[in-house]
Coordinates of all heavy atoms in Angstrom, one line a residue:
M1 N 9.3 22.5 -63.5 CA 9.2 22.4 -65.0 C 8.7 21.0 -65.3 O 9.1 20.0 -64.7 CB 10.6 22.6 -65.5 CG 10.6 22.5 -67.0 SD 12.3 22.7 -67.7 CE 12.0 22.1 -69.3
T2 N 7.7 21.0 -66.2 CA 7.2 19.7 -66.6 C 7.6 19.3 -68.0 O 7.8 20.2 -68.9 CB 5.7 19.8 -66.6 OG1 5.1 18.5 -67.1 CG2 5.1 20.9 -67.4
Y3 N 7.8 18.1 -68.3 CA 8.2 17.6 -69.6 C 7.1 16.9 -70.4 O 7.3 16.2 -71.4 CB 9.4 16.7 -69.5 CG 9.3 15.5 -68.6 CD1 8.9 14.3 -69.2 CD2 9.6 15.6 -67.3 CE1 8.8 13.2 -68.4 CE2 9.4 14.5 -66.5 CZ 9.0 13.3 -67.1 OH 8.9 12.2 -66.3
D4 N 5.9 17.0 -69.8 CA 4.7 16.3 -70.4 C 4.5 16.7 -71.8 O 4.0 16.0 -72.7 CB 3.5 16.5 -69.6 CG 3.6 15.8 -68.2 OD1 4.4 14.8 -68.1 OD2 2.9 16.1 -67.3
R5 N 4.6 18.1 -72.1 CA 4.3 18.6 -73.4 C 5.5 18.7 -74.3 O 5.3 19.1 -75.4 CB 3.8 20.0 -73.2 CG 2.4 20.1 -72.5 CD 2.1 21.4 -72.0 NE 1.0 21.4 -71.1 CZ -0.3 21.6 -71.4 NH1 -0.6 22.0 -72.6 NH2 -1.2 21.6 -70.5
L6 N 6.6 18.3 -73.8 CA 7.8 18.3 -74.7 C 7.8 17.3 -75.8 O 7.5 16.2 -75.6 CB 9.1 18.0 -73.8 CG 10.2 19.0 -73.9 CD1 10.1 20.1 -72.9 CD2 11.5 18.3 -73.8
V7 N 8.1 17.8 -77.0 CA 8.1 16.8 -78.2 C 9.5 16.6 -78.5 O 10.4 17.5 -78.6 CB 7.3 17.5 -79.3 CG1 7.4 16.6 -80.6 CG2 5.9 17.7 -78.9
C8 N 9.8 15.3 -78.8 CA 11.1 14.8 -79.1 C 11.5 15.3 -80.5 O 10.7 15.3 -81.5 CB 11.2 13.4 -79.1 SG 12.8 12.7 -79.6
A9 N 12.8 15.8 -80.7 CA 13.3 16.2 -82.0 C 13.6 15.0 -82.9 O 13.7 15.2 -84.1 CB 14.5 17.1 -81.8
N10 N 13.7 13.9 -82.3 CA 14.2 12.7 -83.1 C 13.0 11.9 -83.6 O 13.0 11.5 -84.7 CB 15.1 11.8 -82.1 CG 15.7 10.7 -82.9 OD1 16.3 10.9 -83.9 ND2 15.7 9.5 -82.4
C11 N 12.0 11.7 -82.8 CA 10.9 10.9 -83.2 C 9.6 11.6 -83.2 O 8.5 11.1 -83.7 CB 10.6 9.6 -82.3 SG 10.3 10.1 -80.6
A12 N 9.6 12.9 -82.9 CA 8.4 13.8 -82.9 C 7.3 13.3 -82.1 O 6.1 13.7 -82.3 CB 7.9 13.9 -84.4
A13 N 7.5 12.4 -81.1 CA 6.5 12.0 -80.2 C 6.8 12.7 -78.8 O 7.9 13.1 -78.6 CB 6.5 10.4 -80.1
P14 N 5.7 12.7 -78.0 CA 6.0 13.3 -76.7 C 7.1 12.6 -75.9 O 7.2 11.3 -75.9 CB 4.6 13.0 -75.9 CG 3.6 13.0 -77.0 CD 4.4 12.3 -78.1
V15 N 8.0 13.3 -75.3 CA 9.2 12.8 -74.7 C 8.7 11.9 -73.6 O 9.3 10.8 -73.2 CB 10.1 13.9 -74.1 CG1 11.1 13.4 -73.2 CG2 10.7 14.7 -75.3
S16 N 7.6 12.2 -72.9 CA 7.1 11.4 -71.7 C 6.8 10.0 -72.1 O 6.7 9.1 -71.3 CB 5.9 12.2 -71.1 OG 4.9 12.3 -72.1
E17 N 6.5 9.8 -73.4 CA 6.2 8.4 -73.9 C 7.4 7.5 -73.9 O 7.4 6.3 -74.0 CB 5.4 8.4 -75.2 CG 4.0 8.9 -75.0 CD 3.3 8.9 -76.4 OE1 3.7 8.2 -77.3 OE2 2.3 9.6 -76.5
G18 N 8.6 8.2 -74.1 CA 9.8 7.5 -74.2 C 10.0 6.5 -75.3 O 10.4 5.3 -75.2
R19 N 9.6 6.9 -76.6 CA 9.5 6.0 -77.7 C 10.9 5.7 -78.3 O 11.1 4.6 -78.9 CB 8.7 6.6 -78.8 CG 7.2 6.5 -78.5 CD 6.4 6.9 -79.7 NE 5.0 7.1 -79.4 CZ 4.1 7.4 -80.2 NH1 4.4 7.7 -81.5 NH2 2.8 7.5 -79.9
C20 N 11.8 6.6 -78.2 CA 13.2 6.4 -78.7 C 14.2 6.6 -77.7 O 13.9 7.0 -76.6 CB 13.4 7.2 -79.9 SG 13.7 8.9 -79.6
R21 N 15.5 6.4 -78.1 CA 16.6 6.4 -77.1 C 16.7 7.9 -76.7 O 17.0 8.3 -75.5 CB 17.9 6.0 -77.8 CG 19.0 5.6 -76.9 CD 20.0 4.8 -77.7 NE 20.4 5.5 -78.9 CZ 21.4 6.4 -79.0 NH1 22.1 6.6 -77.9 NH2 21.7 7.0 -80.1
V22 N 16.6 8.9 -77.6 CA 16.6 10.4 -77.2 C 15.6 10.7 -76.2 O 15.9 11.4 -75.2 CB 16.6 11.2 -78.5 CG1 16.6 12.7 -78.2 CG2 17.7 10.8 -79.6
C23 N 14.4 10.2 -76.4 CA 13.3 10.5 -75.5 C 13.7 10.0 -74.1 O 13.6 10.8 -73.1 CB 12.1 9.7 -75.9 SG 11.2 10.5 -77.3
R24 N 14.1 8.8 -74.0 CA 14.4 8.2 -72.7 C 15.5 8.9 -72.0 O 15.6 9.1 -70.8 CB 14.7 6.7 -72.8 CG 13.4 5.9 -73.1 CD 13.7 4.4 -72.9 NE 14.4 3.9 -74.1 CZ 13.9 3.5 -75.2 NH1 12.6 3.4 -75.3 NH2 14.6 3.0 -76.2
A25 N 16.6 9.4 -72.9 CA 17.7 10.1 -72.3 C 17.3 11.4 -71.7 O 17.7 11.7 -70.6 CB 18.7 10.3 -73.4
S26 N 16.5 12.1 -72.5 CA 16.1 13.4 -71.9 C 15.1 13.3 -70.8 O 15.2 14.1 -69.9 CB 15.5 14.3 -73.0 OG 14.6 13.5 -73.8
R27 N 14.3 12.2 -70.8 CA 13.4 12.0 -69.6 C 14.2 11.7 -68.4 O 13.9 12.2 -67.3 CB 12.5 10.8 -70.0 CG 11.3 10.8 -69.1 CD 10.3 9.7 -69.6 NE 10.9 8.4 -69.7 CZ 10.2 7.3 -69.9 NH1 9.0 7.4 -70.1 NH2 10.8 6.1 -70.0
E28 N 15.3 10.9 -68.5 CA 16.1 10.6 -67.3 C 16.7 11.9 -66.8 O 16.9 12.1 -65.6 CB 17.1 9.5 -67.8 CG 16.7 8.1 -67.5 CD 17.6 7.2 -68.0 OE1 18.9 7.4 -67.8 OE2 17.3 6.1 -68.5
R29 N 17.3 12.7 -67.8 CA 18.0 13.9 -67.4 C 17.0 14.8 -66.6 O 17.4 15.4 -65.7 CB 18.5 14.6 -68.7 CG 19.6 15.6 -68.4 CD 20.3 16.0 -69.6 NE 19.3 16.6 -70.6 CZ 19.3 16.2 -71.8 NH1 20.0 15.3 -72.3 NH2 18.4 16.7 -72.7
M30 N 15.8 14.9 -67.1 CA 14.8 15.7 -66.4 C 14.5 15.2 -65.0 O 14.2 16.0 -64.0 CB 13.6 15.9 -67.2 CG 13.9 16.5 -68.6 SD 12.9 17.8 -69.1 CE 13.2 17.7 -70.8
Q31 N 14.4 13.9 -65.0 CA 14.1 13.3 -63.6 C 15.2 13.5 -62.6 O 14.9 13.6 -61.5 CB 13.8 11.8 -63.8 CG 12.3 11.6 -64.2 CD 12.1 10.2 -64.7 OE1 12.9 9.4 -64.8 NE2 10.8 9.8 -64.9
E32 N 16.5 13.6 -63.2 CA 17.6 13.8 -62.3 C 17.5 15.3 -61.7 O 17.9 15.5 -60.6 CB 18.9 13.7 -63.0 CG 19.3 12.2 -63.1 CD 20.5 12.1 -64.0 OE1 21.2 13.0 -64.3 OE2 20.7 11.0 -64.5
Q33 N 17.0 16.2 -62.5 CA 16.8 17.6 -62.0 C 15.6 17.7 -61.1 O 15.5 18.7 -60.5 CB 16.6 18.5 -63.3 CG 17.9 18.6 -64.1 CD 17.6 19.3 -65.4 OE1 16.5 19.7 -65.7 NE2 18.7 19.7 -66.1
G34 N 14.8 16.7 -61.1 CA 13.6 16.8 -60.3 C 13.8 17.3 -58.8 O 13.2 18.3 -58.4
P35 N 14.6 16.6 -58.1 CA 14.8 16.9 -56.6 C 15.2 18.4 -56.4 O 14.8 19.0 -55.5 CB 15.9 16.0 -56.2 CG 15.8 14.8 -57.1 CD 15.4 15.4 -58.5
F36 N 16.0 18.9 -57.4 CA 16.6 20.3 -57.2 C 15.5 21.2 -57.7 O 15.4 22.3 -57.1 CB 17.8 20.4 -58.1 CG 19.0 19.7 -57.5 CD1 19.4 18.5 -58.1 CD2 19.6 20.1 -56.4 CE1 20.4 17.8 -57.6 CE2 20.7 19.4 -55.9 CZ 21.1 18.2 -56.5
A37 N 14.7 20.8 -58.7 CA 13.7 21.7 -59.2 C 12.6 21.9 -58.2 O 11.9 23.0 -58.1 CB 13.1 21.2 -60.6
G38 N 12.3 20.8 -57.4 CA 11.3 20.9 -56.4 C 11.8 21.4 -55.0 O 11.0 21.4 -54.1
L39 N 13.0 21.8 -55.0 CA 13.6 22.3 -53.8 C 13.0 23.6 -53.4 O 12.8 24.5 -54.2 CB 15.1 22.4 -53.9 CG 15.9 22.3 -52.6 CD1 15.8 20.9 -52.0 CD2 17.3 22.5 -52.9
N40 N 12.7 23.7 -52.1 CA 12.1 24.9 -51.5 C 13.1 26.1 -51.6 O 14.3 25.9 -51.2 CB 11.8 24.6 -50.1 CG 10.8 25.6 -49.5 OD1 10.7 26.8 -50.1 ND2 10.2 25.4 -48.4
P41 N 12.7 27.3 -52.2 CA 13.6 28.4 -52.3 C 14.1 28.8 -50.9 O 15.3 29.2 -50.8 CB 12.7 29.5 -52.9 CG 11.7 28.7 -53.6 CD 11.4 27.5 -52.9
A42 N 13.3 28.7 -49.9 CA 13.8 29.0 -48.6 C 14.9 28.1 -48.1 O 15.9 28.6 -47.4 CB 12.5 28.9 -47.6
M43 N 14.7 26.9 -48.5 CA 15.8 25.9 -48.2 C 17.1 26.3 -48.9 O 18.2 26.2 -48.3 CB 15.4 24.5 -48.7 CG 16.3 23.4 -48.3 SD 16.0 22.9 -46.6 CE 15.6 21.2 -46.8
L44 N 17.0 26.7 -50.1 CA 18.3 27.1 -50.8 C 18.9 28.4 -50.1 O 20.1 28.4 -50.0 CB 17.9 27.5 -52.3 CG 17.7 26.4 -53.2 CD1 17.1 26.9 -54.6 CD2 19.0 25.6 -53.5
I45 N 18.1 29.3 -49.7 CA 18.6 30.5 -49.0 C 19.2 30.1 -47.7 O 20.4 30.5 -47.4 CB 17.4 31.5 -48.8 CG1 17.0 32.1 -50.1 CG2 18.0 32.6 -47.8 CD1 15.7 32.8 -50.0
A46 N 18.7 29.2 -47.0 CA 19.2 28.6 -45.7 C 20.5 28.0 -45.9 O 21.5 28.2 -45.2 CB 18.3 27.7 -45.0
L47 N 20.6 27.1 -47.0 CA 21.9 26.6 -47.4 C 23.0 27.5 -47.7 O 24.1 27.4 -47.3 CB 21.7 25.6 -48.5 CG 21.1 24.2 -48.2 CD1 20.7 23.5 -49.5 CD2 22.1 23.4 -47.5
M48 N 22.6 28.6 -48.4 CA 23.5 29.7 -48.8 C 24.0 30.3 -47.6 O 25.2 30.7 -47.5 CB 22.7 30.6 -49.7 CG 23.7 31.5 -50.5 SD 24.2 30.7 -52.0 CE 23.1 31.4 -53.2
V49 N 23.1 30.6 -46.7 CA 23.5 31.3 -45.4 C 24.5 30.5 -44.6 O 25.6 31.0 -44.2 CB 22.3 31.6 -44.6 CG1 22.7 32.0 -43.2 CG2 21.4 32.7 -45.2
I50 N 24.2 29.2 -44.5 CA 25.2 28.3 -43.8 C 26.5 28.2 -44.6 O 27.6 28.2 -43.9 CB 24.5 26.9 -43.8 CG1 23.3 26.8 -42.9 CG2 25.6 25.8 -43.3 CD1 22.5 25.6 -43.0
L51 N 26.5 28.2 -45.8 CA 27.7 28.2 -46.6 C 28.6 29.5 -46.4 O 29.8 29.4 -46.2 CB 27.4 28.0 -48.1 CG 28.6 27.6 -49.0 CD1 28.8 26.1 -48.8 CD2 28.3 27.9 -50.5
V52 N 27.9 30.6 -46.4 CA 28.6 31.9 -46.2 C 29.2 31.9 -44.8 O 30.3 32.4 -44.5 CB 27.6 33.1 -46.5 CG1 28.2 34.4 -46.0 CG2 27.3 33.2 -47.9
A53 N 28.3 31.5 -43.8 CA 28.8 31.5 -42.4 C 30.0 30.6 -42.3 O 31.0 31.0 -41.6 CB 27.6 31.0 -41.5
A54 N 30.0 29.5 -42.9 CA 31.2 28.5 -42.8 C 32.4 29.2 -43.4 O 33.5 29.0 -42.9 CB 30.8 27.2 -43.5
L55 N 32.2 29.9 -44.6 CA 33.4 30.5 -45.2 C 33.9 31.6 -44.3 O 35.1 31.8 -44.2 CB 32.9 31.0 -46.6 CG 32.8 30.0 -47.7 CD1 32.2 30.6 -48.9 CD2 34.2 29.4 -48.0
A56 N 33.0 32.4 -43.7 CA 33.4 33.4 -42.8 C 34.2 32.9 -41.6 O 35.2 33.5 -41.3 CB 32.2 34.3 -42.4
L57 N 33.7 31.8 -41.2 CA 34.4 31.2 -40.0 C 35.8 30.7 -40.4 O 36.8 30.9 -39.7 CB 33.6 30.0 -39.5 CG 33.8 29.6 -38.1 CD1 33.0 30.6 -37.2 CD2 33.2 28.2 -37.8
L58 N 35.9 30.2 -41.6 CA 37.2 29.6 -42.1 C 38.2 30.9 -42.3 O 39.3 30.8 -42.0 CB 37.0 28.9 -43.4 CG 36.5 27.4 -43.3 CD1 36.3 26.8 -44.6 CD2 37.6 26.7 -42.6
A59 N 37.6 31.9 -42.9 CA 38.4 33.1 -43.2 C 38.9 33.7 -41.9 O 40.0 34.2 -41.7 CB 37.6 34.1 -44.0
H60 N 38.1 33.7 -40.9 CA 38.4 34.2 -39.6 C 39.5 33.4 -38.9 O 40.5 34.0 -38.3 CB 37.2 34.2 -38.6 CG 37.4 34.9 -37.4 ND1 37.5 36.3 -37.2 CD2 37.6 34.3 -36.1 CE1 37.8 36.5 -35.9 NE2 37.7 35.4 -35.3
Q61 N 39.5 32.1 -39.1 CA 40.5 31.2 -38.5 C 41.8 31.4 -39.2 O 42.9 31.2 -38.7 CB 40.0 29.8 -38.5 CG 39.0 29.5 -37.4 CD 38.5 28.1 -37.5 OE1 38.7 27.4 -38.5 NE2 37.8 27.7 -36.4
A62 N 41.8 31.7 -40.5 CA 43.0 31.8 -41.3 C 43.8 32.9 -41.0 O 45.0 32.9 -41.1 CB 42.6 31.8 -42.8
I63 N 43.2 34.0 -40.5 CA 43.9 35.3 -40.2 C 44.6 35.1 -38.8 O 44.2 34.5 -37.9 CB 42.9 36.5 -40.2 CG1 42.4 36.7 -41.6 CG2 43.7 37.7 -39.6 CD1 41.3 37.6 -41.7
Ligands
ZN1 ZN1 12.1 10.5 -79.3

């Protein structure tokens, strides 16, 4: 997702220019999401599989 075309509701300028506090805040928030937004879907699936396997292992040990 890109924020280049996003227009700020506070100053009506593009958020990417960061003219006001609201712009900069939303810009920072979007940059924080960056690493997750760019994450490979295959990587997410692999992480999910590992998580499920770990849970299954724990459940097996609990019994
Ligand atoms: Zn603004």
Side-chain angles (χ1 to χ4, degrees):
M1 182 181 162
T2 178
Y3 57 92
D4 289 341
R5 291 162 194 266
L6 227 96
V7 173
C8 177
N10 191 46
C11 65
V15 169
S16 56
E17 288 182 18
R19 285 189 189 179
C20 75
R21 204 163 50 88
V22 177
C23 287
R24 285 191 288 271
S26 43
R27 196 170 55 171
E28 271 177 36
R29 200 167 55 230
M30 300 226 201
Q31 279 170 348
E32 278 172 19
Q33 288 172 352
F36 292 103
L39 206 64
N40 195 342
M43 187 78 121
L44 281 174
I45 290 165
L47 279 170
M48 197 84 97
V49 168
I50 290 166
L51 197 75
V52 168
L55 280 173
L57 207 74
L58 279 173
H60 185 72
Q61 284 179 346
I63 293 167

